[in-house]
Amino acid sequence: MSSPSTIVIGTGIIGIATAYYLAKNHGQTAITLIDRDQPMAFTSAQSGENYRNWWPHPTMVAFTNRSTDLMEEIARDSGNRINMNRRGYALATRSADIDELVAQLHDGLGDRAKDLLRYHTADHSATYAPFDKSDWEDVPDGVDIVQNQTLIRERFSSYDPEIRSVIHIRRGGDISGQQLGMYMLDYLKSVGIKRVIGEVRDIAHQDGYQVELATPSGNSTLTADQVVNAAGPFADRIAKMLGIDLPVHNVFQQKIAFEDRKGVIPRSMPFSIDLDGQKIDWTDTERDMLLEDPDFAWLAGDMPGAIHCRPDGGDNGKWVKLGWAYNETPATATWEQQLDENFPDIVLRGAARLNPALKAYYGQLPRNMHHYGGWYTMTEENWPLIGRMGPEGAFMNCALSGFGTMAACAAGELCAATIAGAALPDYAADFSMARYDDKDLMTALRAANKGVL
């Protein structure tokens, strides 16, 4: 029997990964990829291009571990075309009391925590593996918990001297999300996958699916046995065309990248997150001016933590990325970026608290600084939606908020297995709509840390 035909709506990393594993693992190659623009050109183009297996729940730990396994396979098979490294995630705080963070680690790692958590409280530690090299193989798994300021200064020389604890997640680091997507697209092209540029206007379901498109050459209709909603921030719109309400919302988050001409960020520094809340480093005059303006007074008050910084472009590069996901206001997704012209100064001053040498760029960010943003499409509990979506033959792979690139391989593999009717991993039900019928799970998730960084 011939395999069913499938339309995948969305050619971000999630849609591409779904098609890739559907073809690679299940031999279904009658696939058409649809998007209004070129692949990887919208939300996926704004990715932080990081990965981690740290989450405060074992389901998400298993999911991201599986995705990392699959990315490592691709790195190995491609001669590391995806530029994978394993410098980890370093979560920094000025507090010595990290019981809550350790409890989250135990929640995520479960029974394995006793073997995967390593404590370092002396000035020197022979068991704290270095991260000066960008190798991704033969790097320890688990978490190094560092609570000695001398050791912190030795390993994280650019950090604020007041940092008293660093939780170093070792199975994490950077990848090139664009190269990951291109690797998959090259395979899809080799097996004859079709790609169509057009914007979906409507979907009808009768003896299969009829997808109406507005294309550069006019309107057209494509038909298929199956349809996959991988439309990122527009997933809710696609679902509504089939009478489905997805429990998702969109939040716009911003980042900047600039050339570190002054060399203030060490190239070997891991992806670093300042967990502590703060007040932005304004002068007294600037703070008074902000307080006088109701629209900007919030910038003079208390700000949340989780600001992040990392070197970009590899050991021989010069660029740095900064991000701060402080926006929590849901909004209707648009194709235009909703950039705040003040964000570069805000994030720079915020990031300078963890890496004080960044103050050298106050008022003089390079002209080639890149300010960009993307939509975090998320459920209330910040878990993805992967699996069946309403009518027979309709599937979804969406709501991967700020972790789409790192989770794409496992998300694509899971969605593809669901489409093909193959065996599913243990976490499959938790990522389906069925989880909303599990009252105990939903109560726990609503009370838990959402893992938004």
Side-chain angles (χ1 to χ4, degrees):
M1 295 178 63
S2 61
S3 63
S5 57
T6 305
I7 288 175
V8 178
I9 302 171
T11 58
I13 190 63
I14 299 301
I16 292 170
T18 302
Y20 174 78
Y21 285 105
L22 189 58
K24 181 176 181 290
N25 290 359
H26 307 288
Q28 294 192 21
T29 57
I31 301 172
T32 301
L33 290 166
I34 297 175
D35 208 317
R36 78 190 291 270
D37 208 336
Q38 297 298 318
M40 304 284 292
F42 193 56
T43 303
S44 294
Q46 320 308 327
S47 169
E49 300 191 305
N50 317 298
Y51 71 96
R52 71 183 192 268
N53 70 340
W54 173 78
W55 289 84
H57 195 285
T59 295
M60 287 296 290
V61 171
F63 179 57
T64 49
N65 266 326
R66 177 57 183 164
S67 205
T68 303
D69 290 343
L70 293 170
M71 287 190 294
E72 289 178 352
E73 285 182 12
I74 291 174
R76 198 173 292 114
D77 293 344
S78 68
N80 201 18
R81 175 177 172 180
I82 63 175
N83 300 319
M84 191 176 205
N85 77 34
R86 279 280 296 274
R87 287 198 165 110
Y89 267 52
L91 317 179
T93 176
R94 294 154 191 82
S95 175
D97 180 5
I98 57 170
D99 289 351
E100 182 178 346
L101 291 168
V102 173
Q104 290 178 19
L105 290 168
H106 278 271
D107 288 342
L109 297 173
D111 293 339
R112 300 175 65 224
K114 62 181 182 298
D115 298 320
L116 291 177
L117 300 184
R118 298 176 293 273
Y119 292 84
H120 310 277
T121 57
D123 288 356
H124 301 283
S125 176
T127 60
Y128 184 18
F131 47 90
D132 53 313
K133 296 181 180 179
S134 60
D135 300 339
W136 63 270
E137 296 184 284
D138 301 320
V139 177
D141 195 357
V143 183
D144 289 294
I145 299 173
V146 189
Q147 287 199 288
N148 178 285
Q149 287 182 293
T150 299
L151 183 57
I152 291 171
R153 291 293 293 164
E154 175 189 319
R155 299 297 182 94
F156 302 93
S157 60
S158 66
Y159 279 10
D160 174 8
E162 298 300 315
I163 294 296
R164 298 181 67 183
S165 303
V166 174
I167 298 91
H168 193 178
I169 314 300
R170 300 311 296 264
R171 198 174 195 205
D174 310 334
I175 59 168
S176 171
Q178 290 291 315
Q179 287 301 317
L180 178 62
M182 291 304 107
Y183 175 88
M184 293 180 177
L185 280 173
D186 285 348
Y187 174 82
L188 292 171
K189 183 179 179 180
S190 75
V191 297
I193 301 304
K194 297 178 181 178
R195 190 168 63 81
V196 175
I197 293 179
E199 186 169 1
V200 177
R201 293 296 176 83
D202 198 11
I203 305 175
H205 177 217
Q206 186 175 7
D207 295 327
Y209 291 89
Q210 299 79 44
V211 179
E212 295 183 17
L213 295 178
T215 74
S217 58
N219 295 336
S220 66
T221 300
L222 299 180
T223 62
D225 301 310
Q226 304 171 147
V227 65
V228 180
N229 180 2
F234 306 104
D236 54 344
R237 297 186 195 176
I238 297 300
K240 281 183 171 62
M241 294 177 187
L242 290 170
I244 306 298
D245 287 321
L246 292 182
V248 301
H249 63 275
N250 294 301
V251 178
F252 192 76
Q253 304 292 3
Q254 301 173 70
K255 302 180 179 75
I256 66 170
F258 62 92
E259 188 177 3
D260 183 15
R261 298 171 180 172
K262 302 176 186 292
V264 303
I265 298 298
R267 301 311 298 176
S268 61
M269 187 184 78
F271 184 92
S272 296
I273 301 164
D274 189 342
L275 294 176
D276 299 337
Q278 63 165 285
K279 290 184 183 295
I280 298 175
D281 183 27
W282 307 112
T283 66
D284 291 341
T285 300
E286 290 168 336
R287 192 175 302 280
D288 289 343
M289 290 176 62
L290 290 168
L291 289 170
E292 290 174 1
D293 190 327
D295 291 334
F296 294 100
W298 63 276
L299 287 171
D302 293 333
M303 295 290 287
I307 190 166
H308 58 258
C309 171
R310 79 163 175 87
D312 187 43
D315 289 1
N316 297 320
K318 291 186 176 180
W319 284 65
V320 168
K321 284 184 177 180
L322 306 178
W324 200 355
Y326 56 71
N327 181 27
E328 297 182 348
T329 305
T332 300
T334 63
W335 290 104
E336 297 76 27
Q337 290 194 351
Q338 301 179 359
L339 299 176
D340 176 1
E341 64 180 7
N342 299 301
F343 181 80
D345 199 30
I346 294 169
V347 72
L348 173 65
R349 290 172 182 268
R353 189 177 183 220
L354 179 59
N355 289 284
L358 284 169
K359 293 179 181 181
Y361 290 106
Y362 283 8
Q364 49 181 322
L365 279 166
R367 290 186 179 182
N368 62 348
M369 181 269 295
H370 180 41
H371 176 199
Y372 59 104
W375 295 100
Y376 278 25
T377 304
M378 57 201 304
T379 58
E380 177 191 0
E381 60 279 6
N382 198 31
W383 278 22
L385 288 171
I386 307 170
R388 298 186 180 277
M389 187 188 71
E392 183 68 24
F395 303 89
M396 60 187 173
N397 198 351
C398 56
L400 284 94
S401 64
F403 54 92
T405 297
M406 72 179 78
C409 288
E413 180 190 55
L414 171 57
C415 192
T418 305
I419 295 167
L424 301 178
D426 292 341
Y427 50 70
D430 286 349
F431 295 145
S432 73
M433 293 288 279
R435 73 169 175 260
Y436 294 104
D437 296 325
D438 187 334
K439 293 183 180 179
D440 291 340
L441 174 63
M442 293 309 300
T443 297
L445 294 184
R446 288 177 179 127
N449 182 287
K450 301 299 187 292
V452 179
L453 295 175

